[in-house]
PDB file of all heavy atoms in Angstrom:
ATOM      1  N   ILE A1192     100.312 110.575 110.086  1.00  0.00           N
ATOM      2  CA  ILE A1192     101.337 109.535 110.117  1.00  0.00           C
ATOM      3  C   ILE A1192     101.744 109.297 108.675  1.00  0.00           C
ATOM      4  O   ILE A1192     100.907 108.997 107.831  1.00  0.00           O
ATOM      5  CB  ILE A1192     100.820 108.225 110.754  1.00  0.00           C
ATOM      6  CG1 ILE A1192     100.498 108.461 112.223  1.00  0.00           C
ATOM      7  CG2 ILE A1192     101.854 107.119 110.598  1.00  0.00           C
ATOM      8  CD1 ILE A1192      99.995 107.249 112.963  1.00  0.00           C
ATOM      9  N   PHE A1193     103.002 109.475 108.419  1.00  0.00           N
ATOM     10  CA  PHE A1193     103.511 109.292 107.067  1.00  0.00           C
ATOM     11  C   PHE A1193     104.090 107.888 106.910  1.00  0.00           C
ATOM     12  O   PHE A1193     104.757 107.389 107.800  1.00  0.00           O
ATOM     13  CB  PHE A1193     104.591 110.337 106.762  1.00  0.00           C
ATOM     14  CG  PHE A1193     104.054 111.730 106.727  1.00  0.00           C
ATOM     15  CD1 PHE A1193     104.191 112.580 107.808  1.00  0.00           C
ATOM     16  CD2 PHE A1193     103.396 112.198 105.600  1.00  0.00           C
ATOM     17  CE1 PHE A1193     103.683 113.862 107.777  1.00  0.00           C
ATOM     18  CE2 PHE A1193     102.880 113.482 105.559  1.00  0.00           C
ATOM     19  CZ  PHE A1193     103.030 114.315 106.647  1.00  0.00           C
ATOM     20  N   ASP A1194     103.830 107.285 105.768  1.00  0.00           N
ATOM     21  CA  ASP A1194     104.370 105.968 105.459  1.00  0.00           C
ATOM     22  C   ASP A1194     105.705 106.156 104.757  1.00  0.00           C
ATOM     23  O   ASP A1194     105.760 106.501 103.581  1.00  0.00           O
ATOM     24  CB  ASP A1194     103.398 105.177 104.576  1.00  0.00           C
ATOM     25  CG  ASP A1194     103.863 103.755 104.307  1.00  0.00           C
ATOM     26  OD1 ASP A1194     104.959 103.375 104.783  1.00  0.00           O
ATOM     27  OD2 ASP A1194     103.141 103.021 103.623  1.00  0.00           O
ATOM     28  N   THR A1195     106.778 105.916 105.467  1.00  0.00           N
ATOM     29  CA  THR A1195     108.113 106.117 104.907  1.00  0.00           C
ATOM     30  C   THR A1195     108.497 105.005 103.938  1.00  0.00           C
ATOM     31  O   THR A1195     109.398 105.182 103.127  1.00  0.00           O
ATOM     32  CB  THR A1195     109.171 106.201 106.026  1.00  0.00           C
ATOM     33  OG1 THR A1195     109.129 104.998 106.796  1.00  0.00           O
ATOM     34  CG2 THR A1195     108.917 107.400 106.911  1.00  0.00           C
ATOM     35  N   GLY A1196     107.843 103.877 104.007  1.00  0.00           N
ATOM     36  CA  GLY A1196     108.155 102.753 103.127  1.00  0.00           C
ATOM     37  C   GLY A1196     107.654 102.937 101.715  1.00  0.00           C
ATOM     38  O   GLY A1196     108.252 102.444 100.761  1.00  0.00           O
ATOM     39  N   SER A1197     106.566 103.654 101.555  1.00  0.00           N
ATOM     40  CA  SER A1197     105.975 103.813 100.226  1.00  0.00           C
ATOM     41  C   SER A1197     106.492 105.049  99.506  1.00  0.00           C
ATOM     42  O   SER A1197     106.169 105.263  98.348  1.00  0.00           O
ATOM     43  CB  SER A1197     104.447 103.883 100.327  1.00  0.00           C
ATOM     44  OG  SER A1197     104.063 105.092 100.937  1.00  0.00           O
ATOM     45  N   GLY A1198     107.261 105.850 100.189  1.00  0.00           N
ATOM     46  CA  GLY A1198     107.755 107.073  99.566  1.00  0.00           C
ATOM     47  C   GLY A1198     106.743 108.198  99.639  1.00  0.00           C
ATOM     48  O   GLY A1198     106.928 109.233  99.019  1.00  0.00           O
ATOM     49  N   ALA A1199     105.660 108.006 100.376  1.00  0.00           N
ATOM     50  CA  ALA A1199     104.628 109.032 100.478  1.00  0.00           C
ATOM     51  C   ALA A1199     105.149 110.250 101.236  1.00  0.00           C
ATOM     52  O   ALA A1199     104.715 111.353 101.001  1.00  0.00           O
ATOM     53  CB  ALA A1199     103.391 108.467 101.174  1.00  0.00           C
ATOM     54  N   ALA A1200     106.111 110.046 102.112  1.00  0.00           N
ATOM     55  CA  ALA A1200     106.687 111.169 102.845  1.00  0.00           C
ATOM     56  C   ALA A1200     107.987 111.566 102.148  1.00  0.00           C
ATOM     57  O   ALA A1200     108.937 110.811 102.123  1.00  0.00           O
ATOM     58  CB  ALA A1200     106.962 110.769 104.286  1.00  0.00           C
ATOM     59  N   VAL A1201     107.984 112.727 101.595  1.00  0.00           N
ATOM     60  CA  VAL A1201     109.179 113.209 100.918  1.00  0.00           C
ATOM     61  C   VAL A1201     110.240 113.557 101.956  1.00  0.00           C
ATOM     62  O   VAL A1201     111.423 113.324 101.768  1.00  0.00           O
ATOM     63  CB  VAL A1201     108.852 114.437 100.050  1.00  0.00           C
ATOM     64  CG1 VAL A1201     110.090 114.968  99.381  1.00  0.00           C
ATOM     65  CG2 VAL A1201     107.803 114.079  99.016  1.00  0.00           C
ATOM     66  N   TYR A1202     109.798 114.102 103.054  1.00  0.00           N
ATOM     67  CA  TYR A1202     110.719 114.481 104.123  1.00  0.00           C
ATOM     68  C   TYR A1202     110.004 114.305 105.452  1.00  0.00           C
ATOM     69  O   TYR A1202     108.842 114.628 105.592  1.00  0.00           O
ATOM     70  CB  TYR A1202     111.145 115.944 103.968  1.00  0.00           C
ATOM     71  CG  TYR A1202     111.932 116.456 105.154  1.00  0.00           C
ATOM     72  CD1 TYR A1202     113.279 116.174 105.276  1.00  0.00           C
ATOM     73  CD2 TYR A1202     111.317 117.201 106.148  1.00  0.00           C
ATOM     74  CE1 TYR A1202     114.005 116.624 106.365  1.00  0.00           C
ATOM     75  CE2 TYR A1202     112.035 117.659 107.242  1.00  0.00           C
ATOM     76  CZ  TYR A1202     113.376 117.375 107.346  1.00  0.00           C
ATOM     77  OH  TYR A1202     114.086 117.817 108.421  1.00  0.00           O
ATOM     78  N   TYR A1203     110.722 113.761 106.399  1.00  0.00           N
ATOM     79  CA  TYR A1203     110.214 113.783 107.756  1.00  0.00           C
ATOM     80  C   TYR A1203     111.403 114.037 108.666  1.00  0.00           C
ATOM     81  O   TYR A1203     112.427 113.391 108.597  1.00  0.00           O
ATOM     82  CB  TYR A1203     109.452 112.500 108.126  1.00  0.00           C
ATOM     83  CG  TYR A1203     110.304 111.268 108.259  1.00  0.00           C
ATOM     84  CD1 TYR A1203     110.735 110.846 109.500  1.00  0.00           C
ATOM     85  CD2 TYR A1203     110.673 110.526 107.156  1.00  0.00           C
ATOM     86  CE1 TYR A1203     111.525 109.717 109.626  1.00  0.00           C
ATOM     87  CE2 TYR A1203     111.447 109.403 107.280  1.00  0.00           C
ATOM     88  CZ  TYR A1203     111.875 108.998 108.519  1.00  0.00           C
ATOM     89  OH  TYR A1203     112.653 107.875 108.646  1.00  0.00           O
ATOM     90  N   GLY A1204     111.285 115.036 109.439  1.00  0.00           N
ATOM     91  CA  GLY A1204     112.383 115.439 110.312  1.00  0.00           C
ATOM     92  C   GLY A1204     112.132 115.001 111.730  1.00  0.00           C
ATOM     93  O   GLY A1204     111.989 115.824 112.607  1.00  0.00           O
ATOM     94  N   GLY A1205     112.046 113.730 111.934  1.00  0.00           N
ATOM     95  CA  GLY A1205     111.804 113.227 113.273  1.00  0.00           C
ATOM     96  C   GLY A1205     110.400 112.694 113.382  1.00  0.00           C
ATOM     97  O   GLY A1205     110.010 111.834 112.620  1.00  0.00           O
ATOM     98  N   GLY A1206     109.661 113.205 114.292  1.00  0.00           N
ATOM     99  CA  GLY A1206     108.345 112.643 114.547  1.00  0.00           C
ATOM    100  C   GLY A1206     108.515 111.354 115.328  1.00  0.00           C
ATOM    101  O   GLY A1206     109.629 110.920 115.624  1.00  0.00           O
ATOM    102  N   ASP A1207     107.433 110.766 115.678  1.00  0.00           N
ATOM    103  CA  ASP A1207     107.471 109.530 116.449  1.00  0.00           C
ATOM    104  C   ASP A1207     107.253 108.334 115.525  1.00  0.00           C
ATOM    105  O   ASP A1207     106.360 108.348 114.683  1.00  0.00           O
ATOM    106  CB  ASP A1207     106.372 109.536 117.529  1.00  0.00           C
ATOM    107  CG  ASP A1207     106.591 110.635 118.559  1.00  0.00           C
ATOM    108  OD1 ASP A1207     107.758 110.942 118.853  1.00  0.00           O
ATOM    109  OD2 ASP A1207     105.590 111.185 119.051  1.00  0.00           O
ATOM    110  N   ASP A1208     108.056 107.295 115.685  1.00  0.00           N
ATOM    111  CA  ASP A1208     107.875 106.060 114.934  1.00  0.00           C
ATOM    112  C   ASP A1208     106.852 105.228 115.696  1.00  0.00           C
ATOM    113  O   ASP A1208     107.100 104.787 116.821  1.00  0.00           O
ATOM    114  CB  ASP A1208     109.202 105.300 114.824  1.00  0.00           C
ATOM    115  CG  ASP A1208     109.100 104.062 113.958  1.00  0.00           C
ATOM    116  OD1 ASP A1208     107.974 103.686 113.566  1.00  0.00           O
ATOM    117  OD2 ASP A1208     110.144 103.451 113.672  1.00  0.00           O
ATOM    118  N   VAL A1209     105.687 105.031 115.094  1.00  0.00           N
ATOM    119  CA  VAL A1209     104.608 104.311 115.761  1.00  0.00           C
ATOM    120  C   VAL A1209     104.571 102.837 115.360  1.00  0.00           C
ATOM    121  O   VAL A1209     103.615 102.134 115.660  1.00  0.00           O
ATOM    122  CB  VAL A1209     103.235 104.986 115.484  1.00  0.00           C
ATOM    123  CG1 VAL A1209     103.204 106.381 116.058  1.00  0.00           C
ATOM    124  CG2 VAL A1209     102.924 105.003 114.015  1.00  0.00           C
ATOM    125  N   SER A1210     105.626 102.365 114.731  1.00  0.00           N
ATOM    126  CA  SER A1210     105.678 100.971 114.288  1.00  0.00           C
ATOM    127  C   SER A1210     105.481  99.999 115.441  1.00  0.00           C
ATOM    128  O   SER A1210     104.737  99.029 115.328  1.00  0.00           O
ATOM    129  CB  SER A1210     107.008 100.667 113.593  1.00  0.00           C
ATOM    130  OG  SER A1210     107.171 101.458 112.454  1.00  0.00           O
TER     131      SER A1210
END
Side-chain angles (χ1 to χ4, degrees):
I1192 295 181
F1193 294 100
D1194 184 359
T1195 58
S1197 70
V1201 178
Y1202 171 81
Y1203 70 97
D1207 296 326
D1208 185 351
V1209 297
S1210 299

